[in-house]
Amino acid sequence: MSLLTDPVISVEPGASCTLPGLLSALARDEVRSFLRLRAHQRAAWHMFLVQLAALAMDKMPDAEPPREVAVWRELLLSLTDGAAEPWTLVVKDRSRPGFLQPPDPGKLKWDPVAMPDALDLLITSKNHDLKVAVADNAAPEDWVYALVSLQTSEGYGGRGNFGIARMNGGSSSRAMLGLAPAGAGGRPDPSSWWRRDLDLVLRNRNAPTVLTRGGPALLWTLPWPEGRQIPVSDMDPLAIEVCRRIRLTEVDGAIRAERAASKAARVAAKEFAGVLDDPWAPVSVKDASPKALTLGEGGRFHYRRMVELLSEKDWRAPPAARLDGAAAGDMVVVAEALARGNSKTDGLQSRILPMPARVWRAKDLPARLSTVAEAQLGEIKKADAALREAVALYAAGGDYESVGKPQRLRAAEARARLDAFADRVFFNHLWARITAMEQGPDAQTAATRAFRAALVETARTELTRAFGTVPCARIHAPRARTRARSRLESAVRKADLLETTNA
């Protein structure tokens, strides 16, 4: 089954299409969704399609993506010197590459893989994020998505199972941070997103890089002798990686897979810590040695992390997430990565933030975002401190002299709920305050007061909730509640959080 000629990929609206047909449909703004694509595969699939199209168009004089299926078919074949096997799912001659399947060098031990979800990159001891090995009715398209997800985003999976070059170590993950035109339901519109990022990477093809433009690009087409690595500096900046030895086979009319270990990672890139000019990868510049973003076990795209990434505080935003571009309409910020531990994943972490067009029209958006976000972070910190001290005083029975670390620890749940509230509303208020800067002092004051009032009301609610959950001697409870409320009101007033709220 060839991706060049067989309609493998199901999209909405319309019927299934070939890979050239898909690229043509994206260019014509005709794709609204991928029907069988899973949430954790979305980032890898988007990046793959953009990289592939950019590589195919690299030598075209016209920067506009072609709309004709036949043109895309020829462009893809030109990447493989006219060979069709690298676009074929099952290639019987194992010495030849298949789609995202390096040639078999021989003398390897191959283990069977029955289902595409068993091949995919999710590894979870609890098996709760996505049930593994349950795709009994797998279609060829499911194998395509599994291959793309595994080969372009996987980390270290134990002895002989190495990860990709575009991540900071084997227990890391390939993170995506980008901006996309908003589609239905406030989600990224696949066609517009693809065209935006394709234009972006093509315009940046001549940017300085540690890699080699025109170097090895489709790494699955290259021989992979045991123990031999590709020097990372030789690789094209948009190269599509393969990190595992995989071969698809056909058994009784059904596709199956085999995998084998390797003695070394496919690309020799350890010293680069994932900083390989990936258009979607945030890079930490806090230390002397830059590192690609790692979303460790338990990590997520919390509002604090998002502020750091977008305001470029100790971070260098990737080209796909820069706030100094142009946008015709509403956008969304897309942040996605698998949180990873040692040879396991901690689930897909995804955050999609609507960014209205009016925010894009604001002057000096990056600077204003940084300024307002820092102000909101400071206001959250003040509300949190006020709530902590109020709950601690209640836990101490209202005795001011008895408040210490044990009592402050009693406030952990209340503070966590306040923080969760801040996480939910942070960016809506951020956009409102940035927009208000265009409207004058009165609008700015009103937007500022709205956020502060929301924090104060939530702190009050959480303090009242704490009265029912935090232990306090019954005899002291009335005094403790009165003094705790008084302490909260005094603290938020002193912190200038009570400008429009009533004590």
Side-chain angles (χ1 to χ4, degrees):
M1 183 168 290
S2 173
L3 299 184
L4 297 179
T5 57
D6 294 309
V8 171
I9 303 162
S10 58
V11 298
E12 186 182 29
S16 296
C17 53
T18 64
L19 184 55
L22 171 61
L23 296 172
S24 174
L26 289 167
R28 297 194 305 268
D29 192 30
E30 295 177 353
V31 178
R32 300 281 79 86
S33 68
F34 298 97
L35 296 180
R36 297 181 70 97
L37 186 69
R38 298 179 177 186
H40 74 278
Q41 299 168 332
R42 174 175 51 194
W45 181 239
H46 171 76
M47 293 187 285
F48 167 79
L49 290 176
V50 172
Q51 289 172 246
L52 181 62
L55 290 167
M57 292 177 58
D58 195 28
K59 297 180 181 179
M60 289 181 61
D62 187 356
E64 289 295 318
R67 299 162 66 90
E68 301 81 12
V69 177
V71 174
W72 278 112
R73 185 179 296 116
E74 291 304 313
L75 288 174
L76 295 181
L77 282 170
S78 70
L79 292 176
T80 56
D81 297 325
E85 291 98 330
W87 308 107
T88 303
L89 289 181
V90 179
V91 177
K92 292 183 179 180
D93 183 353
R94 298 173 71 103
S95 68
R96 304 282 296 172
F99 177 69
L100 288 174
Q101 303 160 62
D104 181 357
K107 299 181 180 179
L108 298 176
K109 180 181 181 297
W110 294 87
D111 296 318
V113 180
M115 302 297 171
D117 50 344
L119 182 69
D120 207 345
L121 56 76
L122 283 181
I123 309 168
T124 170
S125 60
K126 295 180 181 178
N127 196 23
H128 64 276
D129 289 303
L130 185 70
K131 298 295 183 182
V132 298
V134 295
D136 293 332
N137 298 315
E141 160 178 33
D142 298 316
W143 289 102
V144 171
Y145 294 146
L147 282 169
V148 170
S149 181
L150 173 82
Q151 297 286 39
T152 68
S153 298
E154 181 62 291
Y156 181 72
R159 183 177 180 182
N161 294 291
F162 296 91
I164 63 169
R166 291 184 176 98
M167 62 172 58
N168 178 23
S171 294
S172 184
S173 58
R174 187 183 183 189
M176 166 194 271
L177 182 67
L179 291 155
R187 314 296 290 181
D189 177 75
S191 293
S192 300
W193 190 16
W194 175 82
R195 291 198 311 276
R196 178 189 185 275
D197 281 4
L198 175 59
D199 177 68
L200 183 147
V201 298
L202 288 174
R203 285 189 286 106
N204 283 277
R205 276 296 266 166
N206 292 320
T209 175
V210 297
L211 306 177
T212 302
R213 180 176 177 177
L218 307 185
L219 301 195
W220 75 87
T221 64
L222 306 179
W224 189 353
E226 185 67 312
R228 186 175 300 176
Q229 296 180 282
I230 297 173
V232 70
S233 58
D234 292 351
M235 193 172 73
D236 189 280
L238 293 176
I240 298 173
E241 295 189 59
V242 285
C243 61
R244 301 288 174 85
R245 286 193 168 106
I246 304 292
R247 296 295 301 194
L248 298 189
T249 62
E250 190 170 344
V251 180
D252 297 329
I255 296 178
R256 295 290 183 264
E258 295 178 350
R259 56 186 165 197
S262 59
K263 291 183 178 179
R266 186 66 184 108
V267 179
K270 184 177 181 180
E271 67 273 21
F272 287 85
V275 183
L276 296 175
D277 303 309
D278 188 338
W280 300 275
V283 173
S284 172
V285 292
K286 183 176 181 180
D287 301 321
S289 299
K291 300 177 179 65
L293 171 65
T294 294
L295 207 61
E297 188 174 357
R300 62 190 184 95
F301 290 106
H302 187 268
Y303 69 90
R304 292 191 187 92
R305 183 185 293 274
M306 294 298 294
V307 167
E308 290 175 352
L309 296 176
L310 292 175
S311 64
E312 301 194 51
K313 182 180 180 181
D314 296 329
W315 291 89
R316 184 169 68 241
R322 300 268 164 80
L323 298 175
D324 52 3
D330 293 346
M331 302 287 283
V332 291
V333 181
V334 184
E336 292 190 347
L338 283 176
R340 294 184 60 92
N342 185 17
S343 297
K344 67 178 181 178
T345 67
D346 199 28
L348 171 68
Q349 300 301 316
S350 174
R351 186 153 196 175
I352 297 178
L353 299 173
M355 183 179 281
R358 65 179 185 274
V359 178
W360 277 98
R361 290 193 289 267
K363 297 177 182 178
D364 302 320
L365 177 58
R368 289 185 173 183
L369 184 146
S370 180
T371 298
V372 177
E374 285 298 320
Q376 291 194 174
L377 291 173
E379 289 156 359
I380 294 169
K381 184 177 180 180
K382 291 175 182 178
D384 172 75
L387 178 61
R388 180 196 66 212
E389 294 305 307
V391 174
L393 182 57
Y394 175 75
D399 181 2
Y400 298 108
E401 301 299 324
S402 298
V403 174
K405 183 176 180 180
Q407 288 72 37
R408 291 186 174 96
L409 289 175
R410 293 286 190 181
E413 291 186 10
R415 296 173 66 194
R417 286 191 291 267
L418 175 63
D419 191 68
F421 168 79
D423 193 46
R424 289 194 301 273
V425 305
F426 188 93
F427 288 95
N428 287 338
H429 283 276
L430 178 65
W431 306 148
R433 290 170 77 167
I434 289 174
T435 303
M437 296 174 81
E438 302 284 313
Q439 300 168 347
D442 290 345
Q444 292 182 54
T445 299
T448 298
R449 286 176 174 174
F451 183 64
R452 293 176 177 177
L455 290 176
V456 171
E457 289 304 317
T458 302
R460 288 170 173 164
T461 298
E462 293 307 329
L463 178 60
T464 300
R465 191 200 301 258
F467 293 159
T469 59
V470 174
C472 178
R474 182 177 298 178
I475 192 173
H476 298 309
R479 179 189 70 176
R481 286 194 292 268
T482 299
R483 289 184 174 181
R485 287 195 177 102
S486 178
R487 171 156 287 187
L488 176 65
E489 298 302 327
S490 175
V492 297
R493 188 177 296 106
K494 185 177 181 180
D496 292 329
L497 298 178
L498 261 177
E499 292 174 292
T500 61
T501 57
N502 297 318

